[in-house]
Amino acid sequence: NRNKLKKLRMLHIIRGSHIDFLKWAKPAFVASWLLILVGIGYGISRGSSVMGVDFAGGDLVTMNYAQKVPVKKIRAALDEAKIGEATISYQESALDNHRSLQVTTAFGTGEKSRDTLLAKFPEAKFAPQAVDKVGPVVGAQILKSAIISGLLALFGILVYVAMRYEFSFAVGAVIAILHDVLMTMGWFFLTGRQLNAPIVAAILTIIGFSINDTIVIFDRIREDLKLGIKGRFKEIINRALNQTLSRTIITSGTVFLSTLSLYLFGGSVINDFAFTFLVGILTGTYSSIYIASALVLWWHRGERPKAASQVVMDNTVAARA
């Protein structure tokens, strides 16, 4: 207001780009859903083997110990014995100073896990207490809560975007989120991994990341429409995608690098979570262009939205007045 600040420079990695993103919208759209069909189909064909200990249950081995062994070494020993996924936790009681190790593995591997740890770590002086069977009750509750919260989130996004923009934008955003979730799960299944509780957290995080990137692009499309930028609707969308390209690269790139560090150096405990989120970042960025934006364009058959045209006409009349 005081006219003291003349310029406010922002970081731009790419300036003045004129990439025709939507040129490849149709083949990219078809290829995406074909890949989803392959990934999800493969996951279904795997049957119960796709479920990890959190959802399928397993054997719970409880042992007392004299010397604590790092979880990383225990997991490495179980992996070497080809026991598979394991949940490892130390339990300590403050009342009687009782200490125990609990290891949960797949059904039928409890005895093998116990024998492996006894042979690998004699210095720990493990004293086996019990090998019990645990059911998938907790995992089922987590999955049920995740599905309910995910559906509520999608409904809330649909209502918000429809009110804030247009119904076509809302449909594009929700389908793009579904695409990201299914694509991520498809890649997860194709790589032979097993579902566990952290994966549920990763999927819910991907939903938030995906809608954030989509809304930024939609907001720029709406602004350009209100400004009365000339050109076809496809050109308006391409313009918005190019205008937000630097922001997309910076935001997605920094999140990708931090998640990549978790994937490479975080260890096996967080490996599945990091892998899932890595795929989600890529698909979330991709779907904002080739799923959400493309669907909005096709919904209006390449024509400008009527509501946006009305806004531009009202602004023109007001300017003349």
Side-chain angles (χ1 to χ4, degrees), residues 166 168-169 225 233 296 300 303-310:
E166 289 193 19
S168 60
F169 285 61
L225 288 171
F233 191 33
V296 172
H300 294 282
E303 302 294 331
R304 289 170 177 256
K306 293 181 179 179
S309 300
Q310 184 64 41

Side-chain angles (χ1 to χ4, degrees), residues 67-303:
Q67 180 179 333
K68 194 171 185 178
V69 179
V71 172
K72 187 175 181 180
K73 289 186 177 181
I74 294 176
R75 194 175 301 278
L78 296 176
D79 289 341
E80 185 180 347
K82 297 182 179 180
I83 290 173
E85 182 187 355
T87 301
I88 305 168
S89 63
Y90 282 100
Q91 309 290 331
E92 295 188 19
S93 174
L95 295 177
D96 55 4
N97 200 30
H98 179 264
R99 301 183 300 174
S100 64
L101 169 68
Q102 292 186 340
V103 180
T104 307
T105 57
F107 279 120
T109 61
E111 288 78 7
K112 185 178 180 180
S113 302
R114 177 196 61 199
D115 296 341
T116 298
L117 296 180
L118 289 174
K120 287 284 185 180
F121 307 106
E123 71 280 2
K125 298 181 180 179
F126 286 127
Q129 299 299 306
V131 178
D132 302 314
K133 304 293 182 182
V134 295
V137 178
V138 176
Q141 292 176 346
I142 294 173
L143 187 60
K144 180 181 177 181
S145 299
I147 292 173
I148 293 174
S149 59
L151 291 175
L152 289 175
L154 290 177
F155 178 74
I157 290 168
L158 183 69
V159 173
Y160 171 78
V161 178
M163 293 175 60
R164 182 80 173 174
Y165 302 91
E166 289 193 19
F167 185 69
S168 60
F169 285 61
V171 173
V174 170
I175 293 180
I177 292 172
L178 290 174
H179 164 274
D180 297 341
V181 171
L182 294 175
M183 180 68 80
T184 303
M185 297 306 299
W187 277 103
F188 187 86
F189 295 145
L190 286 172
T191 52
R193 299 170 185 267
Q194 289 184 315
L195 288 175
N196 50 45
I199 302 307
V200 176
I203 293 297
L204 295 177
T205 309
I206 289 168
I207 292 176
F209 179 87
S210 176
I211 189 60
N212 177 63
D213 194 53
T214 301
I215 287 297
V216 169
I217 294 173
F218 281 176
D219 211 46
R220 184 53 60 91
I221 294 173
R222 183 184 61 171
E223 289 176 3
D224 288 347
L225 288 171
K226 283 187 175 182
L227 290 172
I229 301 297
K230 294 181 180 180
R232 296 177 300 162
F233 191 33
K234 179 181 177 180
E235 295 170 351
I236 298 295
I237 296 177
N238 267 324
R239 177 189 175 91
L241 293 172
N242 281 281
Q243 288 174 332
T244 57
L245 185 58
S246 286
R247 178 263 172 202
T248 299
I249 293 175
I250 293 171
T251 304
S252 299
T254 51
V255 178
F256 182 85
L257 289 175
S258 60
T259 309
L260 182 63
S261 66
L262 289 177
Y263 177 72
L264 295 175
F265 310 113
S268 57
V269 177
I270 204 171
N271 187 268
D272 285 347
F273 176 90
F275 173 83
T276 305
F277 199 36
L278 276 177
V279 178
I281 293 168
L282 295 175
T283 57
T285 305
Y286 161 88
S287 69
S288 299
I289 301 172
Y290 291 109
I291 305 297
S293 299
L295 282 171
V296 172
L297 176 66
W298 297 334
W299 182 284
H300 294 282
R301 299 179 181 179
E303 302 294 331

Side-chain angles (χ1 to χ4, degrees), residues 12 62 128 266 310:
H12 288 273
T62 304
Q310 184 64 41

